[in-house]
Amino acid sequence: DAEITQSPRHKITETGRQVTLACHQTWNHNNMFWYRQDLGHGLRLIHYSYGVHDTNKGEVSDGYSVSRSNTEDLPLTLESAASSQTSVYFCASSAGDRRQETQYFGPGTRLLVL
Amino acid sequence: LAKTTQPISMDSYEGQEVNITCSHNNIATNDYITWYQQFPSQGPRFIIQGYKTKVTNEVASLFIPADRKSSTLSLPRVSLSDTAVYYCLVGLGNMLTFGGGTRLMVKP
C-alpha cells in the first residue's frame, strides 16, 4: 500500500547542530508540505513544494530549508538547531494541481533540541 | 494579520450532535475549506472539504455561508471515539493556514 513515512520518529540533538528530518511518500504526489506542531499554536506551515525542484517558504520558515530532487522525498534541514525548534514535525503530501487537494500526513517526528 | 480562529475546546456527550465553527475572514476566493481530525501521537486525518453551501459525507457535514467567512463542522451522534482535536484548513492569501484546533471531549 502507498504511504508516507517520516524518519527518525524521535530525535534529540544539541543547540547548533545541523539536523535533517526525512519524509518519503510512495503515492507519486506532486505536492509535499512540512508543518510543525506546538502547544497553543496548532499546525504551522514551514515549507512546501508543488513539484520537483520547486520549494516555497511557509509561515515559519526561518532556520529551516528543504530541497526537492525527486517526487518521493522532501527532507527538512535545520541548519543550526535552536531550542525554539523543539517541536513535533509533520510531513504531508497531496496529489493534483489544486493546492487544497486532500493532504495525507505522516506519523510525525518528535524533535528535542537541548 | 489574516488568521483562522476556532474554539479551543468543547465538551459533549455520546449521541449528541456537535458543531464546531471556524472563522476565516480573509479566505482566498478560489480556496476550499477542509477539516481534519487528529488523535494523540498521530498525524491529522481528512474529514471533509467544501467550497460553499453544504457538503455531507458518511462521517460529517460542513456548512459554509454565502460570504464564506466561516464554516461549521457538524458531527452527528458523536461517540467516545470522536474525542480528538479538529482543525480547519483554509487558504489565506498565498498560504494554507490551519486553525488552532478544537479539542473535543466526548463523555459517556
Side-chain angles (χ1 to χ4, degrees):
Chain A
D1 287 344
E3 61 178 355
I4 181 166
T5 58
Q6 294 183 234
S7 61
R9 293 295 312 279
H10 303 272
K11 175 77 176 178
I12 301 174
T13 190
E14 296 177 341
T15 300
R17 289 188 181 263
Q18 184 181 78
V19 176
T20 297
L21 308 182
C23 176
H24 179 80
Q25 52 96 4
T26 58
W27 280 302
N28 201 35
H29 284 170
N30 290 331
N31 311 321
M32 296 184 73
F33 308 83
W34 273 105
Y35 296 90
R36 61 177 288 174
Q37 186 171 42
D38 307 287
L39 284 175
H41 289 280
L43 289 146
R44 291 183 291 175
L45 183 63
I46 306 171
H47 282 286
Y48 58 101
S49 168
Y50 288 150
V52 176
H53 303 309
D54 175 74
T55 61
N56 305 279
K57 294 181 178 180
E59 178 187 358
V60 290
S61 61
D62 288 348
Y64 303 94
S65 64
V66 294
S67 63
R68 187 91 180 268
S69 59
N70 58 51
T71 300
E72 297 80 15
D73 299 290
L74 186 70
L76 177 71
T77 297
L78 286 67
E79 302 294 344
S80 177
S83 57
S84 60
Q85 294 177 308
T86 291
S87 186
V88 180
Y89 291 85
F90 287 100
C91 179
S93 71
S94 68
D97 58 4
R98 181 163 63 87
R99 69 175 183 171
Q100 277 188 276
E101 294 286 346
T102 299
Q103 294 186 31
Y104 296 87
F105 283 80
T109 293
R110 192 174 295 271
L111 177 67
L112 175 60
V113 182
L114 300 175
Chain B
L1 178 66
K3 58 187 300 184
T4 306
T5 305
Q6 306 176 227
I8 293 175
S9 64
M10 297 181 70
D11 288 345
S12 183
Y13 290 94
E14 284 188 291
Q16 289 189 329
E17 179 183 75
V18 171
N19 296 308
I20 305 173
T21 297
C22 177
S23 297
H24 32 77
N25 290 332
N26 297 302
I27 185 171
T29 302
N30 296 325
D31 271 331
Y32 284 64
I33 298 156
T34 311
W35 284 81
Y36 289 82
Q37 176 191 55
Q38 186 180 29
F39 297 111
S41 300
Q42 295 184 21
R45 183 177 67 175
F46 172 86
I47 301 175
I48 196 167
Q49 183 182 75
Y51 183 78
K52 61 180 178 180
T53 64
K54 178 184 175 181
V55 178
T56 298
N57 63 20
E58 62 275 10
V59 298
S61 294
L62 179 59
F63 298 91
I64 305 168
D67 64 9
R68 299 190 349 107
K69 293 185 177 182
S70 66
S71 58
T72 299
L73 172 71
S74 180
L75 303 173
R77 300 179 299 280
V78 293
S79 64
L80 296 176
S81 63
D82 292 317
T83 293
V85 180
Y86 293 83
Y87 292 93
C88 60
L89 172 66
V90 300
L92 300 177
N94 294 329
M95 210 161 293
L96 295 174
T97 303
F98 274 94
T102 299
R103 186 174 299 275
L104 173 65
M105 174 67 72
V106 180
K107 303 175 182 178

